[in-house]
């Protein structure tokens, strides 16, 4: 486990550096990230490199046993470069060139910029590629942040070239995009626009391809730097810092050439009102782990009150910094670096607080982080060989997220409604989730750690863009015995973002045993009553079904025509009264549930409970007294499996009140070895790590 900070020696007098390093070492820090915005300090004018200050900083840190991750500074092209080559600045959708003054002010396709990027990265690799104080590299900083797409002429030609490669011929493009609509047939590649300012709206097929093109441009930008660093720093590991659920770049592709994934985590930045739970952070972390099926780093972890653009968010409460660190570890972090070491007194981020306040004296936050680093050092060693148990896969694709962004269809069909709500239901039960790229293999298995181990449940959360191959992977999973849950609007779009000339769910209709006869998009706030009666999990014909549950649907209503599936939920009012809303289809040894509306949390969770039971997934938390108690709980439980049948359970209380978790099985405290459970009470923002008591077989998935 590596603990550390993001450090900006260039922003402080060097007389202060030894004290910083000493305080870091005293807090157990062994790593810092340096230099990712320091281009002007490293190269004050073209070709004149001034690395002496960085050499010295590395030396001071090295004396205290602290290693460095070096950032390439390409998120901040210096003023002299912009002055000499204003064409490297990005252009916005209105065709206006954006000015110097912030950061990330570059066009990722600009040949002139790429030339300078290569120069500075080569110079850094040359200087530090063999440096004993350097352990890894971070490329750029938060690729795609602030402003992703550029609308300059270079980007326009690059887009046309990208399309030519993708489609081969204009006929193929015209056909795929349906340019017969509004007389948009292209007779030359040069006619094709970027989706900038126009009258009315752009073709959704053009927009989706443009989103892919933009993501590819950053992937190329990243790969160029990787190639230079591989040559110049062959023994160092390479990463870039992602932004969790950020959707503009296809992180599955970008992660490919990296040695490890890292990301920036600010749980308290502009918190949603009433959002005490850590589900969204947990999902981000699970996505980061799933990109490469390996441990990840948190390259920036919130260390104080966030404050962007002059507004300051609430301060982390006592215990929260520790909680967030443990949450990262529970989801697979092998390093946590706090952003930033000391709060800046100058510059745009004066109110984005670090571990130390502006005055630089250690305070409450420093002490909490120091204590956390100490505890982390005491974690049982076998956990390094352990993996989180993930019996559930949730499918995701960036193509699909972009298609949703282009056509949201209903303001209520948010990412939260489509995907996060399913994730949260698993999260509340302590059921681990892996995020799988739609179309990838979906083996059935016990569901531990990596896809190679398989899954027991697959959630297909309103996956609008679905290929026939993707659909057949889902079908194969169900046939071999898996449980599949499918949300509304799945399977309606092809890869060109055209609507399939088929009733939804298109290529998935056969495996769902259902087609959508008609659908309705509801105004915000309107709800429709729904009656749900799930069958016995074994789907025995004629066996008595489960209890009748009354609830509601909202936002979207598919009216289902079962074709082999059984209706198990019905709308009960308006013109939809009596029409099916939810179905279950036995497929091979598995079962597929189609959910045609956005159910209220109680009904949605009833479906999740049914799926868990059907799939034989045991949760580490024992059956709560009531479903309401599950819904109200802020306790997160994360289960890991290790060698020799060992298991660990992380319990994290995200709430401001003490809370009790009720456990299945027998456990001991991982630090004190004292017996724990069945009830474990956690302080506000409290954390407990347990190990399965020797000889206890439960909870297990057999
Ligand atoms: C991150 C970024 C950092 C810093 C931080 C606080 O997104 O990578 O450089 O800006 O936010 O605003
Ligand atoms: Zn451009």
């Amino acid at each position: 486990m590596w603990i550390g900070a993001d450090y900006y020696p260039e922003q402080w007098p060097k007389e202060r550096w030894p004290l910083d390093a000493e305080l870091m070492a005293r807090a157990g820090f062994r790593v810092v990230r340096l230099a990712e915005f320091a281009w002007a300090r490293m190269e004050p004018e073209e070709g004149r490199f001034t690395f002496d200050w960085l050499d010295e900083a590395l030396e001071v840190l090295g004396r205290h046993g602290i290693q460095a991750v070096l950032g390439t500074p390409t998120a901040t092209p210096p003023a002299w470069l912009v002055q000499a080559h204003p064409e490297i600045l990005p252009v916005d959708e209105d065709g206006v060139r954006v000015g110097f003054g912030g950061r990330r002010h570059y066009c990722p396709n600009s040949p002139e910029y790429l030339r300078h990027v290569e120069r500075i990265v080569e110079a850094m690799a040359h200087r530090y590629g063999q440096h004993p104080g350097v352990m890894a590299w971070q490329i750029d900083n938060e690729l795609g942040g602030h402003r992703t797409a550029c609308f300059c002429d270079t980007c326009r030609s690059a887009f046309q070239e990208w399309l030519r490669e993708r489609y081969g011929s204009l006929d193929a493009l015209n056909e795929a995009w349906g340019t017969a609509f509004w007389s948009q047939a292209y007779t030359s590649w040069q006619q094709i626009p970027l989706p900038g300012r126009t009258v009315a709206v752009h073709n959704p097929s053009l927009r989706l391809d443009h989103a892919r093109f933009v993501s590819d441009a950053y992937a190329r930008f990243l790969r160029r730097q990787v190639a230079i660093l591989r040559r110049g720093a062959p023994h160092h590991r390479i990463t870039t810092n992602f932004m969790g659920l950020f959707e503009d770049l296809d992180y599955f592709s970008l992660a490919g050439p990296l040695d490890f994934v890292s990301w920036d985590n600010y749980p308290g930045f502009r918190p949603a009102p009433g959002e005490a739970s850590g589900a969204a952070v947990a999902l981000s972390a699970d996505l980061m782990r799933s990109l490469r099926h390996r441990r990840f780093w948190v390259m920036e972890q919130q260390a104080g009150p966030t404050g962007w653009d002059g507004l300051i968010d609430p301060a982390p409460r006592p215990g929260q910094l520790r909680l967030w660190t443990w949450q990262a570890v529970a989801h697979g972090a092998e390093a946590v670096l706090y952003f930033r070491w000391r709060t800046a007194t100058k510059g745009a981020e004066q109110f984005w607080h670090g571990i130390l306040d502006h005055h630089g004296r250690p305070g409450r936050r420093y002490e909490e982080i120091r204590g956390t680093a100490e505890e982390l050092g005491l974690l049982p060693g076998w956990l390094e060989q352990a993996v989180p148990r993930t019996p559930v896969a949730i499918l995701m694709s960036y193509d699909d997220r972009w298609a949703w962004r282009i056509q949201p269809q209903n303001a209520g069909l948010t990412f939260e409604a489509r995907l996060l709500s399913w994730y949260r239901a698993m999260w509340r039960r302590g059921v681990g989730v892996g995020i799988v790229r739609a179309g990838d293999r979906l083996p059935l298995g016990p569901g531990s750690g990596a896809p190679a181990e398989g899954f027991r449940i697959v959630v297909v959360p309103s996956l609008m863009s679905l290929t026939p191959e993707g659909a057949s992977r889902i079908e194969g999973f169900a046939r071999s015995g898996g449980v599949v849950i499918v949300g509304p609007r799945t399977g309606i779009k092809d890869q060109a973002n055209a609507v399939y000339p088929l009733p939804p769910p298109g290529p998935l209709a056969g495996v769902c045993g259902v087609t959508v006869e008609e659908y309705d998009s509801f105004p915000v706030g309107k709800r429709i009553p729904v009656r749900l009666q799930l069958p016995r999990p074994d789907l025995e014909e004629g066996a008595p079904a489960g209890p009748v549950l009354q609830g509601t649907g909202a936002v979207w209503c598919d009216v289902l025509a079962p074709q082999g599936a059984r209706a198990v939920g019905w709308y009960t009012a308006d013109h939809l009264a009596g029409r099916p809303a939810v179905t279950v289809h036995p497929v091979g040894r598995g079962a597929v549930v189609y959910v045609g509306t956005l159910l209220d949390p109680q009904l949605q969770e009833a479906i999740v409970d049914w799926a868990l039971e059907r799939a034989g997934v045991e949760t580490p938390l024992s059956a709560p007294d009531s479903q309401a108690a599950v819904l109200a709980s802020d306790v997160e439980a994360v289960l890991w499996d290790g060698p020799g049948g060992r298991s660990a359970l992380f319990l994290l209380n995200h709430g401001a009140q003490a809370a009790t978790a009720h456990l299945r099985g027998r456990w001991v405290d991982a630090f004190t070895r004292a017996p724990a459970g069945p009830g474990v009470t956690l302080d506000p923002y409290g954390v407990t790590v347990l190990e399965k008591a020797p000889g206890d077989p439960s909870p297990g998935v057999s």
Side-chain angles (χ1 to χ4, degrees), residues 8 33 36-37 103 141-142 241 243 264 266 300 308 339 349 352:
Y8 300 93
R33 183 194 59 188
E36 82 280 9
F37 298 121
R103 64 172 172 185
N141 188 80
E142 297 193 336
N241 52 342
M243 293 178 278
D264 299 345
Y266 295 98
E300 297 180 13
W308 186 251
F339 186 92
E349 294 186 359
W352 197 285

Side-chain angles (χ1 to χ4, degrees), residues 69-85:
V69 176
L70 285 187
T72 69
T74 54
T76 44
W80 59 257
L81 175 51
V82 173
Q83 182 186 32
H85 300 287

Side-chain angles (χ1 to χ4, degrees), residues 104 106 140-145 218 221-222 240 243 246 249:
R104 304 213 50 75
Y106 66 81
D140 201 278
N141 188 80
E142 297 193 336
L143 288 166
Y218 283 95
F221 185 83
L222 178 72
T240 184
M243 293 178 278
F246 179 70
L249 304 183

Side-chain angles (χ1 to χ4, degrees), residues 11 343-350 358:
Q11 298 173 12
T343 314
T345 57
K346 299 172 183 172
E349 294 186 359
Q350 287 169 337
H358 301 95

Side-chain angles (χ1 to χ4, degrees), residues 366-550:
Y366 174 86
E367 285 307 323
E368 187 169 319
I369 288 170
R370 195 188 53 70
T372 306
E374 196 174 309
E375 285 180 327
L376 283 166
L378 302 174
L379 260 186
W382 66 265
L383 269 168
E384 293 196 5
Q385 274 82 54
V387 287
R389 184 185 301 177
T390 57
V392 176
I394 298 187
L395 302 193
M396 177 191 282
S397 90
Y398 287 87
D399 279 11
D400 182 65
R401 294 179 71 183
W402 301 329
W404 275 106
R405 184 177 61 197
I406 293 164
Q407 292 167 310
Q409 300 160 72
N410 183 305
L413 285 169
T414 56
F415 183 78
E416 153 76 42
R418 282 152 25 219
L419 194 149
L420 185 55
S421 60
W422 292 111
Y423 179 86
R424 186 180 282 114
M426 300 297 173
W427 179 86
R428 282 194 183 111
R429 287 160 176 71
V431 175
V433 172
I435 308 299
V436 175
R437 189 199 320 226
D440 281 0
R441 287 181 55 246
L442 285 171
L444 182 78
S448 202
E453 304 290 330
F455 301 102
R456 305 194 70 83
I457 297 175
V458 168
V459 182
V460 189
S462 300
L463 194 69
M464 179 152 72
S465 320
L466 183 65
T467 61
E469 301 71 51
S472 73
R473 289 251 149 107
I474 295 166
E475 173 161 8
F477 177 78
R479 283 204 180 285
S480 48
V483 179
V484 179
I485 301 174
V486 182
R489 305 310 278 148
T490 295
I492 65 165
K493 290 272 194 146
D494 70 11
Q495 285 201 288
N497 210 11
V499 179
Y500 283 122
L502 297 167
L508 213 54
V511 65
C512 291
V514 78
T515 55
V516 175
E517 202 169 285
E518 60 171 307
Y519 51 71
D520 199 355
S521 176
F522 275 14
V524 178
K526 180 175 156 80
R527 306 202 72 91
I528 183 166
V530 168
R531 180 164 62 88
L532 183 69
Q533 189 175 29
L534 291 160
R536 258 175 49 161
D538 60 12
L539 293 178
E540 274 306 313
E541 283 295 346
V548 173
L549 303 172
Q550 302 285 356

